[in-house]
Amino acid sequence: MESKKVDRRISRSRRELRKALLELILEKGYESVTIEEITNRADLGRATFYLHYKDKEDLLLESINEMIEDLVSRISKIPLTAWSLQDKLRDKDKSTSTPILLIFQHAAEYADLYRVILRGAGSSEVVTRLRLIIIQAIDKFIEVKEARENLKLQLRIPLEFFSNYFAGSLLGIVTWWLENKLPYSPEDMTA
C-alpha cells in the first residue's frame, strides 16, 4: 500500500514539474527558464527536481516523448477502413476517427506542449519525429487504398515528395490553429 502512495507522489511531482516548465516556456521562452523558476512554480524543491531529471531539457524531452507515444498509440488503433477521409465524410460515420482528425484532437488535448514544440522551443528532433509519424500514416493510407481498390496510383511526383509536402503542410496548419487559440473545432479543421 505504501508503494502506491510513493508512485502517486512521484507521478504528481513529475506532472507538476512538466506543467510548470510548459507554462514558463510559453510565458518567457525556453532559454530564459531556470530550474529554480520551474521548482518554484511547481511548489517543489530543487532536490525533488534533480531526483527525477538531470536538467530542464531532460524534463522537456520526457514530456514530448510521452505525448508522441500517446499519438502513435492512438494512430495505431485506427482500423484500416477509417483511413480514407473521403469515405468518412461521405458516410458521415462519427464512430471512428481518421488520422487527420486524430491529429487535430491530439493537438487540442496537448495544445501547450504542441505550441512549445512547433514554436521551436523543443528539440528539432521532435518536430522531425512528428513529421515522420505523419509521413508513415500517409504512406500506409496509400498502400491500403491501392490494395482495397485494386489500383496502382501513377503519381506525377514521387510519393516521398508528396508525403513530405503533406506532412509539412499539416504541421503548418496545426501551428496556425494553435497560435490562434483553436478558432475551429478539430472536426472543422479536418473537413
Side-chain angles (χ1 to χ4, degrees):
M1 184 125 183
E2 184 63 32
S3 66
K4 285 188 178 185
K5 286 184 181 179
V6 172
D7 290 344
R8 279 189 276 158
R9 282 190 304 235
I10 290 171
S11 180
R12 185 190 67 76
S13 295
R14 287 176 173 251
R15 185 175 50 250
E16 290 301 316
L17 289 167
R18 284 193 305 266
K19 180 181 172 203
L21 175 65
L22 293 178
E23 288 172 357
L24 288 164
I25 290 172
L26 291 170
E27 286 172 20
K28 56 191 280 181
Y30 177 75
E31 295 302 322
S32 301
V33 176
T34 66
I35 304 275
E36 184 176 353
E37 290 171 319
I38 296 168
T39 56
N40 286 342
R41 177 75 57 102
D43 197 24
L44 296 167
R46 287 177 68 90
T48 302
F49 180 92
Y50 288 112
L51 184 64
H52 300 288
Y53 305 102
K54 65 180 180 180
D55 55 25
K56 69 180 182 180
E57 183 177 11
D58 189 30
L59 171 58
L60 179 61
L61 289 175
E62 180 186 86
S63 302
I64 291 168
N65 283 331
E66 186 177 287
M67 179 196 73
I68 289 175
E69 286 172 14
D70 180 55
L71 178 60
V72 170
S73 171
R74 290 183 193 188
I75 286 178
S76 69
K77 292 176 185 171
I78 296 175
L80 295 178
T81 56
W83 285 68
S84 174
L85 181 59
Q86 201 68 18
D87 293 346
K88 180 82 168 157
L89 292 175
R90 184 179 60 239
D91 297 343
K92 295 182 176 45
D93 174 14
K94 303 291 186 204
S95 64
T96 309
S97 291
T98 64
I100 294 174
L101 176 59
L102 188 104
I103 288 169
F104 281 106
Q105 289 170 335
H106 197 262
E109 183 178 341
Y110 291 96
D112 287 344
L113 190 50
Y114 271 97
R115 282 187 192 103
V116 166
I117 295 167
L118 296 173
R119 280 184 185 167
S123 166
S124 66
E125 176 185 316
V126 175
V127 175
T128 300
R129 190 164 171 209
L130 277 174
R131 287 184 67 243
L132 287 175
I133 291 168
I134 295 167
I135 289 167
Q136 289 169 352
I138 294 164
D139 291 346
K140 184 70 172 178
F141 165 75
I142 290 174
E143 177 186 310
V144 168
K145 193 76 168 163
E146 286 179 332
R148 188 171 56 173
E149 297 181 11
N150 198 22
L151 58 94
K152 182 70 179 156
L153 295 176
Q154 295 181 352
L155 301 172
R156 292 200 271 181
I157 57 172
L159 179 57
E160 180 181 14
F161 176 87
F162 172 77
S163 298
N164 276 280
Y165 171 80
F166 186 84
S169 297
L170 183 58
L171 285 175
I173 199 65
V174 168
T175 302
W176 171 87
W177 184 58
L178 291 169
E179 291 298 325
N180 285 283
K181 300 189 181 1
L182 295 78
Y184 306 103
S185 72
E187 293 77 13
D188 290 338
M189 293 300 292
T190 302

